[in-house]
Amino acid sequence: DIGLASLMEFRRPLMMWQVCALCDLGRIEEAGAFHKELRALFPKNGKSGLQMSMLSDDEAFPAAKIALAKKDGPMAISKLEESLQWLGEETFLGSSDHAYLLDLLGDAYQLNGQTDKSAKAYARIRELLTGRWDWGVIYSRSFYKLGKLYEQMGKKVEARKEYAKFLDLWKDADQGLSEVADAKKRLAAL
């Protein structure tokens, strides 16, 4: 059946995003079980020499997401850096998952106490071209996250600038979003 064959083609990406969703929900054991099943769908001989076009072609990414959910900073950093290297440079062909990876990498660096590297990862999100379009929420949240980091580092002027930009980007956001309320509170306190 052609329809079933087409659906099977999407099995790996769907399972990969399911691992991510389960991690975000705190259901790490379930994510691990899906990851085990997902790993069986990757080629046994590893990655080909071709540059990856989709994040779902990268076996390291779901492992990184699980490591981050388990608060294992070093493992998450290792796997995310591997994923970014494999993903290569951002191009205008197809979608770009660079922003998502850089956001997670910034979180992993922060978890590991590497605030300077975390700030650089969040700042790199702004340099992306297509990644900003594909991951607009992550792009705008990078200003909020960087504001919090700058505040933690004692860089009040930079923190104010980041919070102000975030609030400008989200000026029409739904009421009650925790990031907006927190950014307003932090900006007022600076």
Side-chain angles (χ1 to χ4, degrees), residues 67-86:
L68 191 57
K70 289 181 175 180
K71 307 286 189 226
D72 183 349
M75 176 61 77
I77 290 167
S78 171
K79 293 295 183 181
L80 287 164
E81 287 176 344
E82 181 183 335
S83 290
L84 273 170
Q85 183 179 15
W86 181 246

Side-chain angles (χ1 to χ4, degrees), residues 1-2 14 29 31 49 56 99 114 117 130 133 135 138 147 153 156 162-163:
D1 185 300
I2 293 175
L14 290 172
E29 282 188 36
S56 60
Q114 297 172 283
K117 285 188 171 187
T130 60
W133 300 326
W135 296 96
I138 287 175
M153 297 163 90
K156 292 182 179 185
E162 298 299 324
Y163 290 138

Side-chain angles (χ1 to χ4, degrees), residues 21-59:
L22 289 168
C23 287
D24 291 342
L25 293 170
R27 295 165 49 187
I28 302 167
E29 282 188 36
E30 262 183 276
F34 266 96
H35 182 239
K36 185 176 181 180
E37 188 178 336
L38 175 61
R39 287 178 60 199
L41 299 177
F42 286 97
K44 299 291 183 236
N45 60 350
K47 298 172 182 171
S48 69
L50 300 174
Q51 205 52 26
M52 179 177 72
S53 62
M54 294 178 61
L55 188 57
S56 60
D57 293 333
D58 179 32
E59 190 175 354

Side-chain angles (χ1 to χ4, degrees), residues 8-176:
M8 293 306 288
E9 179 181 324
F10 294 104
R11 184 173 181 209
R12 188 170 60 205
L14 290 172
M15 288 180 72
M16 184 201 67
W17 291 115
Q18 190 161 8
V19 166
C20 293
L22 289 168
C23 287
D24 291 342
L25 293 170
R27 295 165 49 187
I28 302 167
E29 282 188 36
E30 262 183 276
F34 266 96
H35 182 239
K36 185 176 181 180
E37 188 178 336
L38 175 61
R39 287 178 60 199
L41 299 177
F42 286 97
K44 299 291 183 236
N45 60 350
K47 298 172 182 171
S48 69
L50 300 174
Q51 205 52 26
M52 179 177 72
S53 62
M54 294 178 61
L55 188 57
S56 60
D57 293 333
D58 179 32
E59 190 175 354
F61 172 67
K65 186 71 177 174
I66 291 170
L68 191 57
K70 289 181 175 180
K71 307 286 189 226
D72 183 349
M75 176 61 77
I77 290 167
S78 171
K79 293 295 183 181
L80 287 164
E81 287 176 344
E82 181 183 335
S83 290
L84 273 170
Q85 183 179 15
W86 181 246
L87 195 57
E89 294 297 317
E90 183 186 40
T91 68
F92 287 104
L93 304 173
S95 67
S96 169
D97 296 316
H98 292 77
Y100 188 62
L101 284 174
L102 287 168
D103 183 61
L104 293 175
L105 185 59
D107 293 349
Y109 282 137
Q110 191 171 6
L111 176 66
N112 213 39
Q114 297 172 283
T115 53
D116 287 339
K117 285 188 171 187
S118 180
K120 287 178 185 174
Y122 295 139
R124 280 182 60 196
I125 294 169
R126 293 117 184 255
E127 298 168 8
L128 299 174
L129 303 173
T130 60
R132 288 174 21 175
W133 300 326
D134 293 339
W135 296 96
V137 170
I138 287 175
Y139 167 74
S140 57
R141 274 194 188 131
S142 72
F143 292 93
Y144 170 69
K145 288 183 173 186
L146 199 50
K148 286 175 59 175
L149 274 177
Y150 284 152
E151 188 178 352
Q152 180 184 340
M153 297 163 90
K155 298 179 177 183
K156 292 182 179 185
V157 172
E158 291 91 337
R160 275 190 213 104
K161 210 162 93 174
E162 298 299 324
Y163 290 138
K165 178 67 175 177
F166 170 73
L167 290 169
D168 181 56
L169 289 170
W170 277 28
K171 63 183 171 273
D172 297 323
D174 293 340
Q175 295 297 315

